[in-house]
Amino acid sequence: AAIVLVILVVWFFYFVSLISGKSAPDIVIILQKPYYSIPLIVMVLASLYHASLGMQVIIEDYVPNLFIRWSLIMTVRGFSYLTIISTIAAISYLMVL
């Protein structure tokens, strides 16, 4: 995931420079193009996967109670899954407008 993120961060800087100063309807038009929306979805997926793995390592290192540790890891994963589903739904909705 980290290697993919390095490439996507470079693309993301380009994308932000492309949409900076644009109005919301113009950004929607840009995001309706698959060559902008798909890398954005992949970047969100890779970022959340990378972040959840990092949080899991921190939780495993610093939370001694097994039940609390498991609960926190499941909470982080649940938040990540919810964010992934919301992102895909939002960008998919923009693509069908």
Side-chain angles (χ1 to χ4, degrees):
I3 295 170
V4 173
L5 279 174
V6 169
I7 297 166
L8 286 172
V9 163
V10 173
W11 172 85
F12 188 70
F13 282 125
Y14 161 75
F15 181 70
V16 168
S17 71
L18 178 72
I19 65 171
S20 65
K22 304 257 190 228
S23 65
D26 290 338
I27 295 172
V28 169
I29 291 169
I30 291 170
L31 282 174
Q32 287 176 335
K33 298 175 181 157
Y35 49 88
Y36 289 120
S37 59
I38 292 172
L40 186 61
I41 290 172
V42 172
M43 183 169 175
V44 169
L45 293 173
S47 298
L48 287 169
Y49 178 70
H50 187 74
S52 66
L53 287 179
M55 287 299 299
Q56 181 175 342
V57 168
I58 291 170
I59 291 167
E60 288 172 348
D61 287 347
Y62 293 105
V63 178
N65 185 301
L66 293 178
F67 177 75
I68 295 172
R69 180 187 310 168
W70 178 83
S71 299
L72 288 172
I73 291 171
M74 289 300 115
T75 301
V76 168
R77 284 187 188 167
F79 176 74
S80 294
Y81 294 148
L82 182 65
T83 306
I84 288 168
I85 291 168
S86 300
T87 301
I88 292 172
I91 293 176
S92 299
Y93 175 74
L94 287 176
M95 292 181 74
V96 298
L97 282 178

